[in-house]
Amino acid sequence: MSEKHPSLALRFRGFLPVVVDVETGGFDARHDALLEIAAVLLEMDSGGYLRPATRIHFHVDPFPGANIEQAALDFTGIDPSNPLRGAVAEDIALSGIFDPVRKAVKQNGCNRAVLVGHNSFFDQGFLNAASERNDVKRNPFHPFSSFDTAALAGLVYGQTVLAKACEAAGIRFSQREAHSALYDATRTAELFCSMVNRFRDLGGWPPPPPAKMPPTLVRELD
């Protein structure tokens, strides 16, 4: 990455990181309902620092035949039958997420979006299952690669729980507001940006040229 021209595309090898969080009716991505989805687009400033930008959020109607575990509703506090939710069908929610993501991918000169999530396999699984259910032809997200902030926060802050990791990073976290897709996605975005920016401040990015890197163990053994 050029210091004079910071770029999301160059920073993440042509991928555009997009934070996603879902709230669901259980743990089974194929059979349990998708009830909320939120995405946070990121941007890079002229100094090469990452920050949250556009936020997108939908309450989602359960797809026909979807399973909903009462324990999941007790955990999230979601009432799927509440008309005040303003829920939309899955295909509308997916279009509302995917369209601006595709636009951001193009604007940033990237090839594809990559999902950022806290325990990202969970969000990615539900996003992929919903895309398959609705026969989405152009899912902008990579089908299996992701950035998991739980793993990254374990490395950077020694914490894997979102609330604890945010606390370690100096990010305010409210247990009362947690388990809303928009709230959790917003905090996850702030956490991801803090770790990427911290790595930069510590001199980890841009990487030094190969000639200035210390010899690897293999070279030393040779």
Side-chain angles (χ1 to χ4, degrees):
M1 182 180 74
S2 168
E3 282 292 278
K4 294 182 179 179
H5 302 286
S7 162
L8 275 171
L10 292 175
R11 178 62 180 86
F12 297 104
R13 203 178 66 82
F15 289 115
L16 178 74
V18 178
V19 181
V20 174
D21 188 84
V22 300
E23 300 298 334
T24 69
F27 295 105
D28 187 333
R30 294 196 174 275
H31 300 106
D32 293 341
L34 174 64
L35 299 175
E36 279 188 46
I37 185 168
V40 180
L41 303 180
L42 307 177
E43 63 185 13
M44 183 173 282
D45 67 17
S46 60
Y49 289 95
L50 209 58
R51 62 193 179 197
T54 305
R55 302 192 304 167
I56 310 161
H57 175 234
F58 292 96
H59 293 279
V60 184
D61 281 325
F63 63 89
N67 179 63
I68 302 177
E69 299 290 341
Q70 184 59 47
L73 300 184
D74 293 341
F75 182 72
T76 61
I78 295 173
D79 178 2
S81 63
N82 188 341
L84 298 180
R85 292 178 70 222
V88 300
E90 273 190 346
D91 62 330
I92 300 298
L94 291 176
S95 178
I97 298 286
F98 288 172
D99 287 351
V101 169
R102 291 189 193 103
K103 183 177 180 181
V105 167
K106 184 175 181 179
Q107 286 177 337
N108 285 279
C110 294
N111 301 317
R112 201 160 195 178
V114 62
L115 185 146
V116 179
H118 204 76
N119 297 310
S120 57
F121 72 93
F122 181 83
D123 307 283
Q124 190 172 52
F126 272 87
L127 187 66
N128 286 344
S131 297
E132 291 175 13
R133 259 193 314 272
N134 291 276
D135 197 26
V136 174
K137 301 298 185 186
R138 292 176 54 240
N139 183 339
F141 288 91
H142 194 285
F144 53 84
S145 292
S146 66
F147 291 133
D148 180 18
T149 54
L152 291 171
L155 172 67
V156 176
Y157 297 118
Q159 300 288 346
T160 57
V161 175
L162 181 57
K164 293 291 186 181
C166 285
E167 181 181 348
I171 299 167
R172 183 186 70 85
F173 193 93
S174 168
Q175 292 291 354
R176 182 179 61 82
E177 297 178 72
H179 310 307
S180 150
L182 182 59
Y183 185 83
D184 287 358
T186 300
R187 292 295 171 263
T188 300
E190 292 171 350
L191 179 63
F192 180 70
C193 291
S194 78
M195 293 187 286
V196 172
N197 295 339
R198 178 182 172 87
F199 187 66
R200 177 177 175 81
D201 285 339
L202 291 174
W205 187 267
K212 294 185 178 181
M213 288 186 176
T216 65
L217 178 60
V218 174
R219 289 175 181 168
E220 289 177 345
L221 291 175
D222 287 343

